[in-house]
Amino acid sequence: MRRVMPFTIVTVTGLFMLVQYFIPREEFEWLYEWTLDWIIVIGCFAMLLGLWSMTYVSVSKVRRKIPGWGYNVITLAGLFFVLIVGFVPGQASLVRGSAFMHLFEYIYIPVQASMFSLLAFYIASAAYRAFRARTILATILLVSAIIIMLRLVPLGPLSAVNQWLANFILTVPNMAAKRAFWIGVGLGATATALKIMLGIERTYMGRD
Amino acid sequence: MMSSFFLYSSSWFDFNRINVFIILGAFFIFVIYFIREAKAGKSLFVRRIAGLDAIEEAVGRATEMGKPILYISGIEDMDNLQTVASMIILGNVAEMVARYEVPLLVPICRPFVVPVAEEAVKQGYSKAGRPDAYNKNNVRYISDEQFAYTAGVNGIMLRDRPAANFMFGSFFAESLIMAETGFSTGAIQVAGTANIHQLPFFVVACDYTIIGEELFATSAYLSKEPKLLGSLKGSDLAKFLIMVSLIIGALLETFGITKFTSWFSVQ
Amino acid sequence: MDNGKSNLYDWMMNLDRRWVYLVIGVVVTLTAIAPFKVPVYVTPEVRNIYNFVESMEPGEVLMIGVDYAPEAMAELHPMNYAITRQCFAKGIKLLLCCLHQNGPGMVEQVIAQVSKEYDKVNGVDYVYLGYKPYPAITILAMGQNFRIPFPEDYYGTSLDSLPMMRNIVNFDNVQAIINISAGSATEYWINYANGRYNAKLAIGVTGVMTSDYYPFLQSGQIFGIIGGMKGAAEYEDLAEKGGYISRKKDQLTAFKSMPIQTTTHIVVILFIVLGNVGYFMSKKVK
Amino acid sequence: MGTHDIIFNGIAAFLTISIYTFLYKDNPFYKFAEHLVVGVSAGYFTVILYFNGFVPKLIEPLKQEKFYYILPAILGLMIWTRFSRKWSWISRFSLAFYIGSGAGIAIPLYIQNFVIRQLSATMLPVGVSTWPLITNILIIIGVFCALTYFYFSKEHTGAFGASAKFGIWTLMVGFGAGFGLTVMGRVSLLAERVVFLRDYLSELFKYLS
């Protein structure tokens, strides 16, 4: 029961999802969409598991007064404050101007956008450090990146030449690289999925 | 249902997808055939995957220094195959680490990955004969949100100073933030993903990068069961046939024969 | 050999990453405070789209599929604004729809502002169909009749009671479709709207996605690509010359951020050059 | 800007700068912003998932007496057995469903979109008479060689090794191009943030004076 059942479920659901792809009947489409709903519902319950895990780690840090525990208090305070302003007014909290949306707009969005824009700095330092013509591979990487970046720098008459080169890189070697890459990934992923579906690969689920 | 206006038929098979069906069927047969061969004890040659040495070397260095090892499994859920491959690799990394007294930190982005990662690490530890060394608190959920997760992982890199960072799975924009922070702490970094947009950043910022299909191959290789290598053989045979049909298709197209190529078009 | 020289080369190679951050930060801030004008090289794939819209007659209909969320706003909003302004200025009618779950807000933001500028009326000069999940099915259904996936518009009015929709059944009644997208929706538009129904299609996508779609341009499945901030700046440049948008009214968002793009790109390239010069010179010294 | 905007945009500006301080080094401001956003985002996602997932996909159907929707709820509840040492094995049922359906959905899509579509797109007419025909040859050679790089059953030596080498070169050109293209997008975001701070500061001075 403990061992066999999960793998039976994997095989059955996997096979169903695979087979329905080839069956154009409406009742199968309906079953498929219903199963997609299952995934969303299970995800909701899983979310609580995550919340529990997070709260548990934070609370235990605060309790044991591990250095920096004050920050865990901030995490917990942020979490419960959002839950309160989100759930207490009900659906109304999703309307623009509510306390809940304020938290979204003035805390979540700016932090997210700032984290994202840190990448502009990181991309520069990574390029400076790693783009050295030490090996052939590094040189190829470097030259290709510079040609693409130069598109944004006005070079006078050279702009047209560079534009042509950039276009060539994007449409020929870059295209070839992507195609081969996707074919490889497609085969590798399908083989992995097949092994899981047929229960050949089982190491991802614990022992007893 | 709106789609019922025109999309459905009473047929039990979608003949528009017969090409997918045939190719998929052939692929299944290849994989299963080679797995059987391997099970029967026939030795199959598979070249050594360079990424494996990189993983072992990184674990070795971290344990020598007595510092923690950080394992990041990407930001997608268990329904993504890259995450599954990453969990298989995690189990094997745990087995390598278990023999030494260094913690293996596994911060996680999706709640559903937590139980799988816990099992993978636990199993790795008990395989190495050290089930007691397993610490539940080291596998922890951080946040579902991409950048909150990234911020949390950055924090671990800076405060726990892991000597080795592994990043295997499905990554997005956070890849470079993590890899650069990891570089600044001097950790040895091995990364692998099948998300092509992020590979440039791993290639640039990490010591070793596992590219695309190699991620799935590594997970198969690490499982150490010879039968699992059968899938690599199967996918190689498929690749060979793809290369052959690529040449045939191109030649036929050149002479204006499009029947062959149009058979491959999918809707 | 000379110790000072090799020290210099070492310095060039091993700058602390924080110096890189500082230079980028300073350059971006300075350019933001005191911007300058950068010439933009207009590529044919952007010009094609502009010229097509130019060739349309007042009263004809252009469809815009808006499939991006706030994360991609910085890159995609500018082109959306420029095209919408050009259309309204020329009296072209717009049909809008959305296949990305966080997209509806994006459409509203643009259409609310631009329709006010040009005094355009909902239902007469433009129709916003709203959002539907499952892009493939939705596009296929629209190819039959817009009323299948969208019996009502975004605001809950039945399509049949909207004056603009009177003679519009499906893709055959729109002159072209422009899909502005940050994700996989583009592929569905290409495969289904163009592939199945042969609709005339052009796309606007984020910078990262751009290169993926050039093959479709070559094969003629799409007639133009606007790629990221640079593509948007090219479009704004054309639209400004055409007199549809104006610098005075602060309508050249992408164009205005081009100086920041240019200076940062130059800085990044210079850093790469610096590192490599240091590397080669120190190898020579040794 | 009114008082409301000045205060709330002020919070946003403060958090933005706090994040940027990380570029210099880890510090209390960054840690504050980091821990705050971890808590806030977890809460935010819970609320959103409840209203956009749980309500329409479970509560509404049950209200409409579609009782078969109780099945996914049971599977969902099973995950919570993880809290018990004795019953935690039950949680594997829901996990199995999740992984199984993920694998089943993925198989045909990977084969269709990643393998067949890429293959058929590469079957191009070749020749030397026009430039597009020449580029087609180059694309086909590139794809062919890059595929040999991903070939595991043979050592990369001899002619095969040369082909794999050319393949990895092609991949590197692609990665370089990807890197170059991404710079533009990231700088767009930085520009947006800097302009936000610039505008906020000028508004703040106006407001204060």
Side-chain angles (χ1 to χ4, degrees):
Chain A
M1 181 74 175
R2 295 185 185 192
R3 186 84 190 127
V4 178
M5 260 309 267
F7 290 111
T8 317
I9 296 177
V10 168
T11 307
V12 171
T13 47
L15 276 177
F16 169 74
M17 287 305 209
L18 171 60
V19 166
Q20 67 78 28
Y21 173 85
F22 295 103
I23 302 177
R25 293 178 74 92
E26 189 172 356
E27 51 272 40
F28 271 78
E29 176 73 24
W30 180 86
L31 259 175
Y32 173 69
E33 277 173 19
W34 184 44
T35 331
L36 291 184
D37 285 353
W38 287 39
I39 297 175
I40 296 171
V41 173
I42 295 175
C44 295
F45 286 94
M47 181 81 211
L48 266 165
L49 202 67
L51 273 189
W52 166 257
S53 174
M54 196 181 109
T55 317
Y56 178 83
V57 171
S58 297
V59 169
S60 74
K61 270 193 182 165
V62 174
R63 263 221 201 117
R64 287 185 283 154
K65 299 264 185 307
I66 287 175
W69 60 272
Y71 295 112
N72 295 96
V73 174
I74 294 168
T75 302
L76 291 170
L79 170 67
F80 287 107
F81 188 63
V82 178
L83 290 180
I84 291 167
V85 300
F87 281 122
V88 171
Q91 204 92 38
S93 59
L94 299 186
V95 178
R96 215 173 163 217
S98 68
F100 179 73
M101 290 314 276
H102 265 72
L103 286 172
F104 177 67
E105 227 170 290
Y106 296 106
I107 294 183
Y108 177 82
I109 292 269
V111 171
Q112 196 214 27
S114 311
M115 290 291 289
F116 223 128
S117 65
L118 283 182
L119 282 165
F121 297 97
Y122 288 152
I123 224 171
S125 74
Y128 162 68
R129 192 183 71 239
F131 283 167
R132 299 275 156 84
R134 286 199 183 95
T135 59
I136 298 179
L137 285 186
T139 314
I140 293 173
L141 194 69
L142 149 91
V143 170
S144 156
I146 286 190
I147 290 173
I148 300 297
M149 283 193 266
L150 278 174
R151 292 186 316 154
L152 284 149
V153 180
L155 299 169
L158 281 180
S159 267
V161 178
N162 188 69
Q163 199 74 37
W164 184 88
L165 258 179
N167 224 351
F168 175 78
I169 286 181
L170 290 178
T171 51
V172 181
N174 174 57
M175 187 62 54
K178 279 194 172 147
R179 294 250 168 91
F181 181 87
W182 289 132
I183 290 174
V185 167
L187 293 174
T190 310
T192 307
L194 177 68
K195 283 187 290 180
I196 289 165
M197 202 175 75
L198 299 183
I200 296 166
E201 169 70 83
R202 297 183 163 198
T203 48
Y204 62 92
M205 221 184 293
R207 276 197 295 193
D208 49 4
Chain B
M1 191 182 290
M2 74 182 197
S3 38
S4 60
F5 274 74
F6 58 96
L7 278 178
Y8 298 107
S9 63
S10 56
S11 157
W12 282 94
F13 187 80
D14 187 348
F15 280 93
N16 289 324
R17 288 174 169 171
I18 189 131
N19 49 4
V20 180
F21 185 80
I22 291 172
I23 291 170
L24 197 54
F27 183 60
F28 278 18
I29 292 167
F30 298 162
V31 170
I32 291 165
Y33 169 78
F34 281 111
I35 287 175
R36 289 203 154 196
E37 289 280 280
K39 260 191 196 160
K42 200 172 164 199
S43 88
L44 303 172
F45 173 78
V46 172
R47 74 176 161 85
R48 178 123 185 109
I49 295 165
L52 288 178
D53 303 327
I55 294 174
E56 274 160 24
E57 196 197 315
V59 170
R61 215 184 84 179
T63 51
E64 251 169 47
M65 295 166 74
K67 280 177 158 187
I69 290 168
L70 179 65
Y71 191 97
I72 307 164
S73 58
I75 64 164
E76 284 207 275
D77 220 326
M78 278 318 291
D79 57 344
N80 186 301
L81 288 161
Q82 293 186 53
T83 315
V84 178
S86 175
M87 287 297 116
I88 299 168
I89 300 176
L90 172 62
N92 291 285
V93 169
E95 198 183 333
M96 289 180 211
V97 177
R99 298 183 198 106
Y100 310 93
E101 293 290 326
V102 294
L104 174 62
L105 307 173
V106 190
I108 284 167
C109 184
R110 302 280 168 177
F112 236 135
V113 183
V114 176
V116 186
E118 282 176 354
E119 292 291 349
V121 175
K122 219 191 275 177
Q123 202 180 358
Y125 275 48
S126 50
K127 254 193 195 163
R130 294 286 316 276
D132 51 303
Y134 169 71
N135 178 354
K136 203 176 172 194
N137 287 339
N138 283 342
V139 179
R140 66 180 96 127
Y141 168 77
I142 306 266
S143 168
D144 264 63
E145 204 284 316
Q146 186 184 17
F147 287 104
Y149 176 71
T150 312
V153 172
N154 267 358
I156 294 174
M157 285 181 177
L158 292 166
R159 282 150 227 158
D160 296 326
R161 298 263 155 187
N165 299 338
F166 295 113
M167 293 166 253
F168 296 119
S170 180
F171 287 86
F172 293 87
E174 71 285 353
S175 65
L176 183 64
I177 303 186
M178 290 176 182
E180 275 295 286
T181 310
F183 175 84
S184 76
T185 63
I188 180 165
Q189 305 197 91
V190 186
T193 182
N195 292 2
I196 195 167
H197 293 310
Q198 299 312 321
L199 271 166
F201 306 112
F202 280 150
V203 169
V204 161
C206 294
D207 298 280
Y208 194 86
T209 310
I210 288 168
I211 298 168
E213 193 188 353
E214 290 180 315
L215 176 68
F216 299 104
T218 305
S219 74
Y221 207 105
L222 269 172
S223 297
K224 287 195 189 92
E225 286 181 59
K227 64 175 185 186
L228 291 172
L229 289 179
S231 70
L232 285 185
K233 280 279 179 190
S235 114
D236 272 357
L237 178 56
K239 231 168 284 160
F240 175 74
L241 292 177
I242 284 172
M243 281 146 80
V244 172
S245 41
L246 175 60
I247 305 289
I248 296 174
L251 288 177
L252 290 177
E253 276 287 314
T254 307
F255 295 108
I257 305 165
T258 55
K259 262 241 161 83
F260 184 73
T261 38
S262 62
W263 186 80
F264 284 95
S265 75
V266 278
Q267 295 183 339
Chain C
M1 213 190 72
D2 185 353
N3 237 341
K5 250 188 188 166
S6 96
N7 274 343
L8 173 71
Y9 300 144
D10 272 353
W11 176 84
M12 283 164 80
M13 277 169 64
N14 300 314
L15 265 183
D16 188 89
R17 68 204 151 80
R18 274 173 278 196
W19 288 111
V20 181
Y21 300 159
L22 183 70
V23 174
I24 294 276
V26 168
V27 166
V28 171
T29 314
L30 285 182
T31 324
I33 295 170
F36 52 92
K37 207 182 157 192
V38 185
V40 170
Y41 177 88
V42 180
T43 51
E45 53 270 26
V46 173
R47 193 184 294 275
N48 276 350
I49 301 180
Y50 178 82
N51 287 347
F52 181 83
V53 179
E54 270 306 279
S55 72
M56 283 174 69
E57 298 292 325
E60 289 186 325
V61 182
L62 181 77
M63 178 162 190
I64 304 182
V66 178
D67 306 318
Y68 58 90
E71 298 97 84
M73 230 166 90
E75 276 193 271
L76 297 179
H77 245 23
M79 61 178 87
N80 196 347
Y81 272 108
I83 296 171
T84 308
R85 286 199 171 106
Q86 185 192 5
C87 288
F88 279 173
K90 285 182 60 73
I92 294 165
K93 300 188 178 199
L94 285 180
L95 183 61
L96 305 148
C97 82
C98 176
L99 305 174
H100 187 297
Q101 53 178 351
N102 294 325
M106 303 290 96
V107 181
E108 278 222 286
Q109 219 170 23
V110 177
I111 204 75
Q113 191 184 332
V114 183
S115 65
K116 220 183 277 166
E117 286 169 17
Y118 290 90
D119 225 1
K120 296 290 178 184
V121 182
N122 177 25
V124 179
D125 303 298
Y126 67 89
V127 167
Y128 175 27
L129 297 172
Y131 160 75
K132 271 273 139 64
Y134 306 112
I137 300 176
T138 311
I139 294 171
L140 282 172
M142 283 195 288
Q144 304 270 314
N145 190 330
F146 289 117
R147 289 157 188 80
I148 300 175
F150 300 104
E152 295 169 348
D153 76 351
Y154 183 67
Y155 310 98
T157 322
S158 144
L159 287 200
D160 290 318
S161 56
L162 296 172
M164 183 184 129
M165 294 305 287
R166 207 162 292 149
N167 297 317
I168 298 179
V169 180
N170 54 32
F171 296 145
D172 292 340
N173 308 103
V174 301
Q175 257 53 45
I177 303 168
I178 299 177
N179 170 234
I180 305 178
S181 155
S184 54
T186 311
E187 274 178 37
Y188 294 110
W189 281 105
I190 294 173
N191 285 329
Y192 297 118
N194 174 273
R196 190 69 74 83
Y197 295 109
N198 223 357
K200 200 162 167 62
L201 181 70
I203 60 172
V205 291
T206 60
V208 183
M209 288 163 65
T210 316
S211 68
D212 298 355
Y213 292 98
Y214 273 96
F216 298 106
L217 188 70
Q218 272 173 351
S219 64
Q221 283 163 282
I222 52 178
F223 69 92
I225 299 181
I226 309 177
M229 198 67 116
K230 179 172 182 289
E234 293 170 33
Y235 204 94
E236 286 181 350
D237 189 42
L238 292 169
E240 194 201 12
K241 284 181 186 137
Y244 300 115
I245 57 177
S246 102
R247 202 171 292 266
K248 276 189 205 118
K249 290 188 202 147
D250 209 15
Q251 291 170 335
L252 279 84
T253 338
F255 199 87
K256 254 177 41 190
S257 86
M258 282 320 273
I260 299 186
Q261 292 285 356
T262 303
T263 47
T264 352
H265 276 79
I266 293 176
V267 171
V268 173
I269 293 170
L270 286 181
F271 269 118
I272 297 173
V273 171
L274 182 78
N276 278 290
V277 170
Y279 174 68
F280 279 109
M281 295 311 273
S282 74
K283 244 182 34 179
K284 225 179 185 181
V285 171
K286 272 165 199 158
Chain D
M1 266 193 208
T3 313
H4 169 273
D5 284 359
I6 289 289
I7 292 174
F8 281 99
N9 279 320
I11 296 173
F14 170 75
L15 290 171
T16 301
I17 294 169
S18 299
I19 293 288
Y20 285 144
T21 59
F22 181 71
L23 289 170
Y24 180 65
K25 69 186 235 204
D26 194 17
N27 65 75
F29 288 102
Y30 173 76
K31 278 191 221 169
F32 171 79
E34 171 207 323
H35 283 85
L36 181 67
V37 84
V38 166
V40 168
S41 68
Y44 175 77
F45 273 92
T46 310
V47 174
I48 290 291
L49 200 59
Y50 176 78
F51 286 119
N52 292 342
F54 199 74
V55 172
K57 297 294 180 195
L58 183 63
I59 296 189
E60 290 296 329
L62 287 179
K63 270 190 191 157
Q64 294 160 18
E65 304 192 341
K66 293 179 182 166
F67 291 117
Y68 46 85
Y69 267 85
I70 206 80
L71 276 173
I74 291 172
L75 269 184
L77 281 170
M78 281 179 172
I79 310 171
W80 293 359
T81 57
R82 284 203 67 78
F83 295 132
S84 141
R85 219 169 261 259
K86 198 174 162 198
W87 300 106
S88 71
W89 55 274
I90 294 180
S91 66
R92 275 191 210 138
F93 289 15
S94 20
L95 196 57
F97 174 82
Y98 203 62
I99 294 175
S101 58
I105 293 173
I107 289 174
L109 292 183
Y110 270 107
I111 286 289
Q112 176 190 302
N113 294 335
F114 286 30
V115 179
I116 303 180
R117 189 163 278 161
Q118 302 299 331
L119 170 64
S120 72
T122 317
M123 292 176 176
L124 302 161
V126 296
V128 286
S129 49
T130 65
W131 178 241
L133 290 178
I134 298 171
T135 59
N136 285 351
I137 299 183
L138 297 175
I139 290 176
I140 290 169
I141 293 176
V143 173
F144 190 93
C145 293
L147 277 175
T148 53
Y149 172 79
F150 290 117
Y151 207 82
F152 300 102
S153 311
K154 204 166 154 44
E155 285 294 354
H156 287 173
T157 48
F160 190 77
S163 169
K165 199 174 209 175
F166 186 76
I168 188 76
W169 290 359
T170 311
L171 285 169
M172 284 297 156
V173 175
F175 294 159
F179 191 102
L181 281 173
T182 314
V183 177
M184 182 167 74
R186 302 302 181 241
V187 172
S188 306
L189 288 156
L190 176 60
E192 190 265 330
R193 282 286 92 188
V194 171
V195 168
F196 164 76
L197 286 177
R198 178 194 74 186
D199 292 348
Y200 176 73
L201 288 178
S202 75
E203 288 291 332
L204 184 66
F205 283 123
K206 263 190 236 159
Y207 182 80
L208 291 178
S209 57

